[in-house]
Amino acid sequence: MQEEIRFATFNVCNLAPAGTKLYDNLEPLTQVQYEAKREWTARQIDLLGADVIGFQEVFSQAALRDVLAHTRHYRDATQAGIDAVDGHGRMLPSVALVSRLPLAGPGIACPTFPAGVSLPVDGHASDANLARYARAPLHVQVMLPGGHLTDVLVVHLKSRRPDYRNGDGNTVLNYALANLRSLQRRGAEAVALRVLASELGHSGRPRIVLGDFNDIANAVTTAIVMGAGAPDETDHEAGQANNMRERLYDSNAIQLRQDYLRHVGYTNIHDSAYMTIDHILVSEHFHPASPRAIGLVLDVVYLNDHLLQALPQASDHGQVLARIKLLGNIG
């Protein structure tokens, strides 16, 4: 049985075919630029060498398939993901999953919030948009070596980009309010994701939530997704506290090979600040303190040298790779 599995997350930064208009302030890629981006992305995927990779900012699932066709080791991998378009037919960013492990079925997009979760009422947004993710999470069931079915969620939470309204002037107040609106949406998405991950956890299956959270691990929004500080639940049948069952854990924080003297785990550079906003969260099934562990996070690696090189074809995010050692026969 395969003893080690690898999960990764990769924000590919506006992956779309040549000539596709994505944003008003962004010129479409030329054919030469697209081919350079395709080749760089394919090499980076091979360098990761992960069994399962979650992708963000995929504007075209066909473009991602084209990238995979130019890899050395993922041409036969399974791809899950659904294209998204707006009311005018313009491509929107979506997420995707690529796996060299078997999938139990097709990926399922989760565009709407669970019942009871909504943004504050906003006169500029439709009622429907108050209860929808900006980018729908993707739920995929992956079969681990040995037969354990694992729920994987690929996510991309709302960015920190200020959410201006039409007609807003460039004032201190408007800038602050625009940032607040972005935070409110990211916060609502975090709550919705926490409920979704919790509902999946009722099955008792392992869970992995990975992607671009647009916030650091200690941020309130990320802590909401992890369930940090939530009240303990009690397993009445066992008669004991069961506080680990609901939680998710930052794989970087629980990895076995900690090196506090050389921590270079950043995935984004903004205004000269180095931040880790891409994360791999795992359920207790991969935590060394859990009696129900089926594997342990050996280490977490960040591929981020390209951020300092400022290559035009490269992503503006680093990639995160978690290596997990499976424990014995988990079938």
Side-chain angles (χ1 to χ4, degrees), residues 150-164:
T150 298
D151 291 298
V152 180
L153 285 172
V154 185
V155 305
H156 187 184
L157 299 188
K158 174 68 177 72
S159 73
R160 295 187 178 196
R161 183 178 296 111
D163 183 7
Y164 283 106

Side-chain angles (χ1 to χ4, degrees), residues 99-115:
S99 178
R100 296 191 292 187
L101 298 176
L103 304 185
I108 299 173
C110 308
T112 57
F113 294 169

Side-chain angles (χ1 to χ4, degrees), residues 300-318:
V300 177
V301 180
Y302 297 84
L303 279 64
N304 51 23
D305 287 346
H306 59 278
L307 296 180
L308 299 176
Q309 297 169 344
L311 303 172
Q313 69 270 31
S315 171
D316 58 352
H317 282 245

Side-chain angles (χ1 to χ4, degrees), residues 57-325:
E57 293 197 22
V58 177
F59 280 80
S60 165
Q61 298 292 327
L64 180 56
R65 285 192 291 271
D66 187 28
V67 169
L68 297 177
H70 286 77
T71 63
R72 289 179 296 134
H73 304 300
Y74 291 84
R75 296 176 184 178
D76 297 324
T78 303
Q79 178 179 336
I82 302 171
D83 283 328
V85 296
D86 65 15
H88 303 287
R90 177 178 285 190
M91 291 180 176
L92 296 174
S94 63
V95 301
L97 179 139
V98 170
S99 178
R100 296 191 292 187
L101 298 176
L103 304 185
I108 299 173
C110 308
T112 57
F113 294 169
V117 183
S118 177
L119 277 162
V121 175
D122 184 341
H124 291 80
S126 68
D127 290 341
N129 287 334
L130 295 178
R132 296 179 66 89
Y133 295 93
R135 276 88 50 145
L138 182 70
H139 173 217
V140 186
Q141 292 188 318
V142 178
M143 189 67 70
L144 301 188
H148 247 295
L149 193 61
T150 298
D151 291 298
V152 180
L153 285 172
V154 185
V155 305
H156 187 184
L157 299 188
K158 174 68 177 72
S159 73
R160 295 187 178 196
R161 183 178 296 111
D163 183 7
Y164 283 106
R165 298 308 189 210
N166 291 335
D168 280 355
N170 187 20
T171 67
V172 171
L173 175 59
N174 285 337
Y175 176 72
L177 290 174
N179 277 282
L180 176 59
R181 282 190 286 267
S182 291
L183 176 59
Q184 287 174 325
R185 174 161 287 281
R186 190 164 62 257
E189 291 182 344
V191 172
L193 188 55
R194 165 98 292 265
V195 175
L196 175 57
S198 178
E199 290 174 347
L200 291 174
H202 293 163
S203 69
R205 294 188 297 265
R207 291 164 293 157
I208 296 181
V209 181
L210 50 80
D212 179 358
F213 289 72
N214 269 305
D215 239 330
I216 62 175
N218 292 331
V220 171
T221 53
T222 313
I224 288 173
V225 178
M226 290 190 285
D232 293 351
E233 292 201 350
T234 300
D235 185 339
H236 298 289
E237 183 176 334
Q240 61 184 0
N242 221 359
N243 59 315
M244 292 192 75
R245 287 186 186 245
E246 283 290 325
R247 288 281 309 276
L248 293 170
Y249 300 89
D250 178 13
S251 57
N252 181 58
I254 64 171
Q255 63 178 309
L256 298 183
R257 297 176 184 172
Q258 295 282 1
D259 185 354
Y260 297 107
L261 297 179
R262 186 180 180 273
H263 183 70
V264 291
Y266 61 88
T267 65
N268 187 253
I269 303 175
H270 181 70
D271 289 340
S272 299
Y274 292 69
M275 299 182 295
T276 303
I277 61 176
D278 303 83
H279 309 289
I280 299 176
L281 309 182
V282 299
S283 62
E284 62 159 339
H285 302 82
F286 306 102
H287 195 296
S290 172
R292 292 173 286 272
I294 65 168
L296 303 176
V297 180
L298 291 176
D299 58 21
V300 177
V301 180
Y302 297 84
L303 279 64
N304 51 23
D305 287 346
H306 59 278
L307 296 180
L308 299 176
Q309 297 169 344
L311 303 172
Q313 69 270 31
S315 171
D316 58 352
H317 282 245
Q319 292 77 58
V320 187
L321 172 70
R323 297 171 55 235
I324 296 175
K325 177 179 174 58

